Amino acid sequence: MVAHLVRLKLTLLRNGLRRSAWQVVGLVFGALYGLGILAVVVPSAVALSLQDVALQRDVTVLLGALLVLGWWVVPLLAFGVDATLDPCGSPRSRSRAARCSQDWPRRPSWASRASSRR
């Protein structure tokens, strides 16, 4: 099950990167940024492990609080960035015009209207 979900996520990533060269550039910059953060965090954690227990506790609580705050705030600021669920997101799709028309989402069919009457 996990392998299937990982394969689906990698397929989404591959198809997303096919859309634009700028998305590849953004991914490379994001990876470099992540490696830079890792290069700062690991030596800092090693240096913190050599400090007093009270200081370790204070720094851990402060960084944990900032991490949770970022977990709450970043999705609010970056809402709508992920296009995996956007029905009009794929420019290569043949039925893109149909999905992105004025009728999206579609009106209920006659069967669903008939079943909803009393």
Side-chain angles (χ1 to χ4, degrees):
M1 181 69 174
V2 173
H4 184 66
L5 292 175
V6 168
R7 188 171 50 247
L8 287 173
K9 187 63 177 176
L10 289 175
T11 301
L12 279 173
L13 178 65
R14 185 185 70 228
N15 290 338
L17 293 177
R18 284 183 181 175
R19 292 183 190 170
S20 168
W22 289 109
Q23 288 181 337
V24 176
V25 170
L27 179 69
V28 169
F29 278 128
L32 291 175
Y33 181 76
L35 288 174
I37 294 294
L38 186 66
V40 170
V41 168
V42 170
S44 300
V46 170
L48 184 63
S49 70
L50 303 174
Q51 300 300 319
D52 184 34
V53 174
L55 179 64
Q56 289 177 358
R57 185 174 45 236
D58 292 341
V59 170
T60 303
V61 168
L62 180 65
L63 291 178
L66 287 174
L67 183 67
V68 169
L69 183 66
W71 193 272
W72 287 343
V73 171
V74 169
L76 295 175
L77 298 176
F79 182 76
V81 173
D82 187 16
T84 56
L85 297 177
D86 184 14
C88 300
S90 176
R92 297 175 189 252
S93 176
R94 290 183 209 148
S95 62
R96 182 173 190 259
R99 288 182 302 169
C100 297
S101 69
Q102 299 291 342
D103 294 335
W104 184 263
R106 293 183 186 215
R107 292 186 293 272
S109 67
W110 66 270
S112 63
R113 279 191 245 147
S115 67
S116 66
R117 292 185 184 173
R118 294 181 190 201

